Amino acid sequence: MAYLVLTAGEGNGQKFDIKDGVTRIGRRAENDVVLVYPSISGTHAELVRSVDGFELRDLGSTNGTRLNGNRIQNIRVYRNDIFSFGDVSVMLDGDDVPTAPQSNENDAMDVSSIPRTTVILHPRIPENARVITPSDFKKTHGSRTLWPFFLGLVILAVLVALVIFVRGFFS
């Protein structure tokens, strides 16, 4: 069964079942998924289920609909996609929700065991790649001795300006 689940805020984890056909999402009580938040329009968006999968449509909402951070009007969606209706985020999930197709067979990898907070920069790390550790980001020498030099320049500039002002005042 397909469902939307709130991913943050006071309703975090709350699930909303997706019905067959069109599921309307918005702040009004007559919607199928009612999300009573100020940033959500009365009838904000709709999720359309077909034999091919799911499609998300923005219905001219004031604050827009985003999919994985990008503003959309009408787009095909897949399992674990994050939608934002205004500033409220939900995730599409369920056994009958298709997963996103792989764009390239060489880039295919099993992501089912990766926690949602993991960031993958590249699916494969070359054998000769240099791994940078936190200790590689230490401060370099000399950075503590530069600030007195700049402070001295500022004081010198103020003194020169003061001398020019005083000479002009008494001439």
Side-chain angles (χ1 to χ4, degrees):
M1 176 68 135
Y3 59 91
L4 294 174
V5 61
L6 285 170
T7 60
E10 65 184 54
N12 188 17
Q14 185 177 1
K15 293 181 181 179
F16 302 92
D17 290 335
I18 303 299
K19 66 181 191 173
D20 288 334
V22 177
T23 300
R24 295 233 170 183
I25 303 157
R27 201 173 58 231
R28 289 192 196 118
E30 61 266 14
N31 289 300
D32 302 301
V33 174
V34 179
L35 299 171
V36 184
Y37 294 90
S39 66
I40 296 180
S41 295
T43 303
H44 196 102
E46 62 186 12
L47 194 57
V48 181
R49 180 195 296 236
S50 68
V51 293
D52 297 331
F54 292 83
E55 188 177 318
L56 179 64
R57 297 178 188 155
D58 184 78
L59 298 176
S61 63
T62 304
N63 293 318
T65 299
R66 294 184 176 356
L67 171 66
N68 298 330
N70 301 311
R71 194 162 184 159
I72 62 101
Q73 288 300 316
N74 187 359
I75 193 165
R76 181 172 275 327
V77 291
Y78 301 96
R79 182 181 296 154
N80 295 331
D81 278 341
I82 304 290
F83 314 150
S84 297
F85 305 116
D87 59 4
V88 177
S89 294
V90 297
M91 181 179 68
L92 178 62
D93 205 353
D95 296 337
D96 57 345
V97 180
T99 57
Q102 294 293 330
S103 59
N104 184 338
E105 197 173 296
N106 294 331
D107 290 339
M109 63 182 278
D110 180 358
V111 295
S112 61
S113 63
I114 300 174
R116 293 194 57 77
T117 56
T118 301
V119 176
I120 299 174
L121 298 177
H122 192 278
R124 288 176 289 289
I125 298 174
E127 291 177 20
N128 60 351
R130 179 173 179 257
V131 177
I132 299 173
T133 63
S135 63
D136 293 335
F137 292 99
K138 291 180 185 174
K139 278 189 172 180
T140 58
H141 60 70
S143 62
R144 293 183 179 181
T145 59
L146 290 179
W147 74 266
F149 173 73
F150 289 116
L151 182 61
L153 284 177
V154 169
I155 292 173
L156 181 63
V158 169
L159 288 175
V160 168
L162 186 61
V163 167
I164 292 171
F165 175 74
V166 169
R167 278 191 178 179
F169 186 72
F170 288 111
S171 8

Coordinates of all heavy atoms in Angstrom, one line a residue, residues 124-132:
R124 N 31.8 4.7 -6.7 CA 33.0 3.9 -6.6 C 34.2 4.8 -6.3 O 34.4 5.8 -7.0 CB 33.3 3.1 -7.8 CG 32.3 2.0 -8.0 CD 32.5 1.2 -9.3 NE 32.0 2.0 -10.5 CZ 30.8 2.3 -10.8 NH1 29.8 1.9 -10.0 NH2 30.5 2.9 -11.9
I125 N 35.1 4.4 -5.4 CA 36.3 5.2 -5.1 C 37.5 4.5 -5.8 O 37.7 3.3 -5.5 CB 36.6 5.3 -3.6 CG1 35.4 6.1 -2.9 CG2 37.9 6.0 -3.3 CD1 35.5 6.1 -1.4
P126 N 38.2 5.1 -6.6 CA 39.3 4.5 -7.3 C 40.4 4.0 -6.3 O 40.5 4.6 -5.2 CB 39.9 5.6 -8.2 CG 38.9 6.6 -8.3 CD 38.0 6.5 -7.1
E127 N 41.1 2.9 -6.6 CA 42.1 2.4 -5.7 C 43.2 3.3 -5.4 O 43.7 3.3 -4.3 CB 42.7 1.1 -6.4 CG 41.8 0.0 -6.5 CD 42.5 -1.2 -7.2 OE1 43.7 -1.3 -7.3 OE2 41.7 -2.1 -7.7
N128 N 43.6 4.2 -6.3 CA 44.7 5.1 -6.0 C 44.2 6.5 -5.5 O 44.9 7.4 -5.4 CB 45.5 5.4 -7.3 CG 44.6 6.0 -8.4 OD1 43.4 6.1 -8.3 ND2 45.2 6.4 -9.5
A129 N 42.9 6.6 -5.1 CA 42.4 7.8 -4.5 C 43.0 8.1 -3.1 O 43.2 7.2 -2.3 CB 40.9 7.7 -4.4
R130 N 43.2 9.4 -2.8 CA 43.7 9.8 -1.5 C 42.5 10.1 -0.7 O 41.7 10.9 -1.0 CB 44.6 11.0 -1.7 CG 45.1 11.5 -0.3 CD 46.2 12.6 -0.5 NE 46.6 13.0 0.8 CZ 46.2 14.1 1.4 NH1 45.3 14.9 0.8 NH2 46.6 14.5 2.6
V131 N 42.4 9.4 0.5 CA 41.4 9.7 1.4 C 41.8 10.8 2.4 O 42.9 10.7 3.0 CB 41.0 8.4 2.2 CG1 39.9 8.7 3.2 CG2 40.5 7.3 1.2
I132 N 41.0 11.8 2.4 CA 41.4 13.0 3.3 C 40.7 12.8 4.7 O 39.5 12.6 4.8 CB 40.9 14.3 2.7 CG1 41.6 14.5 1.3 CG2 41.1 15.5 3.6 CD1 41.0 15.7 0.5

